[in-house]
Amino acid sequence: MTRSDELAAGLASTRAKLAAACEAAGRDPGEVSLLPVTKFFPASDVALLQALGCTEFGENREQEAAAKAAELADARFHMLGHIQRNKAKSVARWAAMVHSVDSPRLADALERGAAAALDGGLRDGPLPVLVQISLDGDPARGGVPRADLDELCETVAEAPSLALRGVMGVPPLEADPEAAFAELAEIRAGVLERHPGAGVFSAGMSGDLEVAVKFGSTCVRVGTGILGRRPLTSLP
Ligand SMILES: *Cc1c(COP(=O)(O)O)cnc(C)c1O
């Protein structure tokens, strides 16, 4: 089996799982996008996925993603991982969307980066941003605690070079996924009420996408289910 065959099989089984999850939840499959997560895998895999019809990809390390974005000019990369503020300027150049904004200081740094990228002709519109919610306040997992969420959403919404598009959530380790996604869905509904343009709900990965779809996910981020087990070290 060639690598392309393997990826095609991973895509087909993930799409089937997603379709079944939508059906079970009584949802239109067109409402839920599938974002292949290519972190740790080489740019050649991204190129094979492009040939199979994928256009957007998730990454979680700035350096690795910037290198892939430079190599593959027509692939669009979403930033899913923690962002050090000194990397915000670079992220604002290559990211099609950032899912992991979790502090006003990071939002400010991305605003400055996005403004510079717009000025320099490196972007043609504001940087779409999701605010990452933390249910348990675990700093290792990232995300803004619920108590600080409204203020962060305001900061992003007021930033002229950022566009608040929604929220991202990852259930805490050991959490019951049903309870966690239910809570995220409730928080998400509150954000959407205050920010009608923030309709994206990035929730669900290889292991829990069915539950996430049941609770309203509009974007599932799938790595292992499409690309297989990740190599142990990051690229480049
Ligand atoms: C790696 C990663 C994923 C994909 O995880 P899988 O379990 O391999 O599907 C999804 N979301 C984020 C934020 C990630 O870092």
Side-chain angles (χ1 to χ4, degrees):
M1 200 145 105
T2 66
R3 182 61 174 151
S4 177
D5 292 339
E6 278 174 16
L7 295 174
L11 261 183
S13 67
T14 302
R15 284 188 178 132
K17 231 167 119 174
L18 186 54
C22 289
E23 163 107 44
R27 297 186 57 203
D28 174 355
E31 288 174 10
V32 191
S33 59
L34 171 61
L35 185 68
V37 179
T38 47
K39 69 187 187 203
F40 289 34
F41 287 97
S44 56
D45 279 355
V46 181
L48 290 172
L49 286 168
Q50 285 184 291
L52 293 166
C54 303
T55 55
E56 312 215 352
F57 306 91
E59 287 283 334
N60 79 336
R61 287 157 199 249
E62 194 283 321
Q63 203 184 345
E64 179 182 342
K68 286 178 189 164
E71 188 170 338
L72 301 163
D74 50 357
R76 291 164 53 81
F77 290 96
H78 293 224
M79 179 56 167
L80 310 179
H82 175 71
I83 303 170
Q84 288 171 315
R85 269 178 298 132
N86 63 357
K87 299 285 171 62
K89 191 173 168 189
S90 170
V91 170
R93 288 194 202 121
W94 58 257
M97 183 180 274
V98 176
H99 292 224
S100 46
V101 173
D102 61 2
S103 74
R105 273 154 46 111
L106 175 58
D108 289 344
L110 286 170
E111 164 58 30
R112 286 193 297 278
L118 284 164
D119 276 352
L122 297 167
R123 298 197 67 83
D124 53 13
L127 175 64
V129 156
L130 307 182
V131 165
Q132 182 183 349
I133 299 168
S134 169
L135 292 180
D136 63 355
D138 178 358
R141 306 271 282 172
V144 63
R146 194 169 180 168
D148 301 326
L149 175 68
D150 289 349
E151 186 194 336
L152 177 55
C153 289
E154 288 307 322
T155 301
V156 173
E158 284 165 13
S161 311
L162 304 179
L164 179 64
R165 289 281 182 258
V167 303
M168 190 264 261
V170 182
L173 291 170
E174 324 270 315
D176 167 37
E178 291 262 340
F181 285 117
E183 190 177 349
L184 287 169
E186 181 207 319
I187 297 172
R188 182 255 178 161
V191 171
L192 194 51
E193 208 165 279
R194 284 183 297 278
H195 303 277
V200 177
F201 182 24
S202 169
M205 322 197 291
S206 297
D208 56 13
L209 73 85
E210 289 92 344
V211 193
V213 166
K214 176 174 163 188
F215 287 98
S217 169
T218 68
C219 172
V220 296
R221 311 174 307 268
V222 176
T224 321
I226 297 173
L227 291 114
R229 273 180 57 194
R230 276 183 282 281
L232 291 177
T233 49
S234 178
L235 301 161

